[in-house]
Amino acid sequence: MNPRRKKRLTLAVALIGGVAAITSLLLYALNSNLNLFYTPSEIVHGKTDTGVKPEIGQRIRVGGMVTVGSMVRDPKSLHVEFAVHDSLGGEVLVTYDDLLPDLFREGQGIVAQGVLGADGKLEATEVLAKHDENYMPPEVAEAMGQKHEKLDYSQQKAPDTK
């Protein structure tokens, strides 16, 4: 083989190998940072269409309502444990070791992000509470089977200024 062609072939193979290595590293990084949303019943029974359950150690987001009477606080630390349920009957225990949002309370919709433990508990790194009584994140509202609509302000009557 001609030395010039051999040099070009080596360069082309090295370039293709480098692009493949960079692509595989990017895909690995994106996959490890992926947070999938699940409802409590999907964690317990699997997704309705595929039956896929989250794996132990996987980072996930869980959305549902905090079960009334399920919250247990440790008086000596910030550790709190509570259950989250949905309308389909699934329930998941969540543990959290930080300050809860001011709007957090039992019977309210939340989204918790964390890692699923071997015992089926979600070890949360972040807990988000809804900000008023009428709003629920679209993914939680869909999972809970509730209708999520944007308010239409155009049909409201303007106040009289007399």
Side-chain angles (χ1 to χ4, degrees), residues 24-139:
S24 63
L25 287 174
L26 281 173
L27 290 176
Y28 176 76
L30 290 174
N31 191 27
S32 65
N33 290 329
L34 188 65
N35 290 326
L36 299 176
F37 180 81
Y38 288 90
T39 63
S41 60
E42 289 174 341
I43 292 173
V44 174
H45 306 295
K47 294 261 187 192
T48 54
D49 52 348
T50 61
V52 175
K53 291 183 179 181
E55 298 174 8
I56 294 171
Q58 181 179 357
R59 284 182 39 174
I60 60 172
R61 297 176 75 193
V62 177
M65 304 294 274
V66 178
T67 305
V68 176
S70 68
M71 191 161 49
V72 178
R73 292 183 185 264
D74 184 3
K76 296 179 182 177
S77 68
L78 295 175
H79 182 79
V80 66
E81 184 173 305
F82 55 91
V84 177
H85 71 278
D86 61 3
S87 61
L88 301 176
E91 188 171 82
V92 173
L93 286 175
V94 177
T95 61
Y96 188 57
D97 290 323
D98 205 352
L99 291 174
L100 289 169
D102 290 336
L103 297 174
F104 180 91
R105 63 184 176 277
E106 293 179 339
Q108 169 189 335
I110 62 133
V111 174
Q113 178 176 323
V115 177
L116 188 63
D119 52 359
K121 290 183 183 178
L122 180 74
E123 298 168 13
T125 56
E126 183 178 21
V127 174
L128 304 171
K130 65 181 183 175
H131 60 80
D132 73 4
E133 62 188 47
N134 297 323
Y135 176 77
M136 187 175 288
E139 53 196 8

